[in-house]
């Protein structure tokens, strides 16, 4: 069915096309632009700054007491680490499989990332966390729910309590995802989100930091560059929480501006609906790709409810690098854009841990073996479940062509 008379099936939608912003965002942004009041601490005629309103709305949506809106997800991580007391030279545990802003935030503090192995389920190896916490003396764990895969959060919480680790969640890929009904980002001291265009809400760039801890949030607020305007934050702690922070924390100027907050406020109303649409789209992609024998797709854990804005799959172990590259290129030629995590040179968002040369070299043989066979495909909300069938037809074809010999092991892995 794939080779039709007019040539092989092609997919012609863009993997990077965003939804248009909701009309409410566009209208409110126009009014804001006409007023010229773009800084978060302007005097807003109608009362509260849109940034403060966003902080209030997002904290409530995420099930957290406090929220600070920032200029990027990377800055949310950096400020969270600093507010958590991480000092230059300190060791910080984090996933070996994550996006570059995570080790980047740790490096920006002059701290040292200690990388944790990732299993074929794409989740960090909890035994490796215990081992490396003991060996390194690290007191902080930045747990990155990379590509939306959350580990067993009951076990993570118990492990952190047992080892005395402060948990900071990188929830950039899990906005709205839950573990046994509880939102990701709320399990530790802080949760960090990104609102850049390829995440669940889109303001071009942006970050949100949530916490239930008043003094931590006070420190983060001063760090964000509040010029002592902390009384004008929407979901901030009271004056008493700032007694020390206002003198001890440097101003790192990473505020969110009113325009981005306005764009996000208009999206917050529909966020739960978008989360449900992503879950449906991911389920469709999961179903369609699961029928391709050569591909192994890490499944959610019981108790986990992810929000897949992308899908990942592993190809058989005997596919070498050249086969992986040829498969990716053949899919791309038919309109299916895949990212491959096995490339030696960092490409797009897929940099591998060994290309973060600003870290002390660390070998992660299991992570390296997983990444060598790992592919990633974006699922923008401009796709429909039917699109997933077209994509699966192309992937099935090209997988067959890449390695025509049947792979017994790959079916059951
Ligand atoms: C996007 C992202 C971040 C933060 O990215 P910014 O571009 O700084 O907003 C952090 N962690 C992960 C896993 C991400 O994908």
């Amino acid at each position: 069915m794939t080779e039709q008379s007019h040539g092989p099936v092609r997919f012609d939608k863009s993997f990077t096309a965003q939804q248009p912003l909701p009309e409410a965002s566009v209208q409110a942004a126009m009014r804001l632009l006409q007023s010229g009041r773009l800084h978060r601490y302007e005097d807003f005629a109608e009362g509260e700054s849109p940034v403060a309103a966003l902080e209030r709305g997002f904290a409530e949506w995420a099930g957290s007491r406090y929220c600070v809106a920032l200029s990027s997800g990377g800055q949310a991580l950096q400020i969270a680490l600093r507010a958590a007391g991480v000092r230059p030279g300190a060791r910080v545990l984090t996933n070996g499989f994550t996006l570059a802003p995570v080790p980047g935030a740790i490096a920006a503090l002059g701290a040292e990332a200690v990388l944790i192995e990732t299993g074929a389920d794409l989740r960090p190896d909890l035994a490796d966390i215990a081992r490396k916490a003991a060996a390194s003396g690290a007191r902080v764990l930045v747990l990155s729910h990379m590509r939306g895969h959350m580990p067993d959060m009951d076990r993570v919480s118990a492990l952190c309590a047992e080892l005395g680790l402060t948990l900071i969640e990188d929830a950039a890929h899990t906005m709205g995802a839950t573990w046994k009904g509880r939102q990701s980002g709320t399990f530790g001291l802080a949760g960090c989100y990104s609102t850049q265009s390829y995440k669940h809400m889109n303001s071009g760039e942006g970050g949100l930091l949530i916490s239930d801890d008043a003094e931590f949030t006070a420190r983060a607020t001063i760090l964000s560059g509040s010029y002592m305007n902390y009384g004008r934050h929407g979901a901030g702690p009271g004056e008493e929480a700032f007694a020390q922070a206002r003198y001890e924390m440097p101003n790192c100027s990473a505020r969110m501006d009113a325009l981005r907050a306005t764009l996000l406020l208009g999206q917050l109303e529909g966020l739960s609906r978008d989360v449900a649409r992503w879950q449906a789209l991911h389920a469709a992609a999961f179903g369609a790709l699961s029928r391709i024998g050569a591909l192994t797709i890490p499944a959610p854990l019981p108790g986990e409810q992810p929000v897949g804005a992308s899908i990942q799959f592993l190809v058989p172990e005997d596919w070498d690098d050249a086969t992986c590259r040829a498969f990716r290129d053949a899919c791309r030629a038919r309109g299916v854009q895949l990212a491959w995590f096995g490339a030696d040179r960092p490409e797009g968002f897929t940099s591998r841990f060994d290309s973060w040369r600003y870290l002390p070299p660390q070998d992660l043989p299991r992570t390296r073996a997983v990444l060598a066979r790992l592919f990633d495909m974006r699922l923008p909300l401009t796709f429909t479940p039917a699109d997933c069938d077209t994509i699966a037809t192309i992937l099935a074809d090209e997988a067959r062509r890449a390695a025509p010999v049947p792979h017994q092991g790959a079916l059951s892995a």
Side-chain angles (χ1 to χ4, degrees), residues 72-74 77 98-99 101-102 144 146 170 172-173 194 196 199 205-206:
S72 71
L77 285 162
T98 185
L99 209 73
V102 180
S144 182
M146 180 61 171
D170 169 18
H173 295 166
S194 166
Q196 55 115 309
K199 309 298 162 84
E205 302 285 355

Side-chain angles (χ1 to χ4, degrees), residues 262-308:
T262 298
L263 301 179
L264 294 170
L265 267 173
Q267 294 168 61
L268 190 56
E269 287 169 36
L271 183 55
S272 295
R273 198 181 52 231
D274 281 349
V275 162
R277 286 173 63 208
W278 251 307
Q279 286 168 335
L281 186 62
H282 190 274
F286 193 96
L289 268 57
S290 294
R291 291 193 283 274
I292 307 172
L295 310 186
T296 304
I297 310 171
L301 302 177
E304 180 191 6
Q305 183 71 255
V307 187

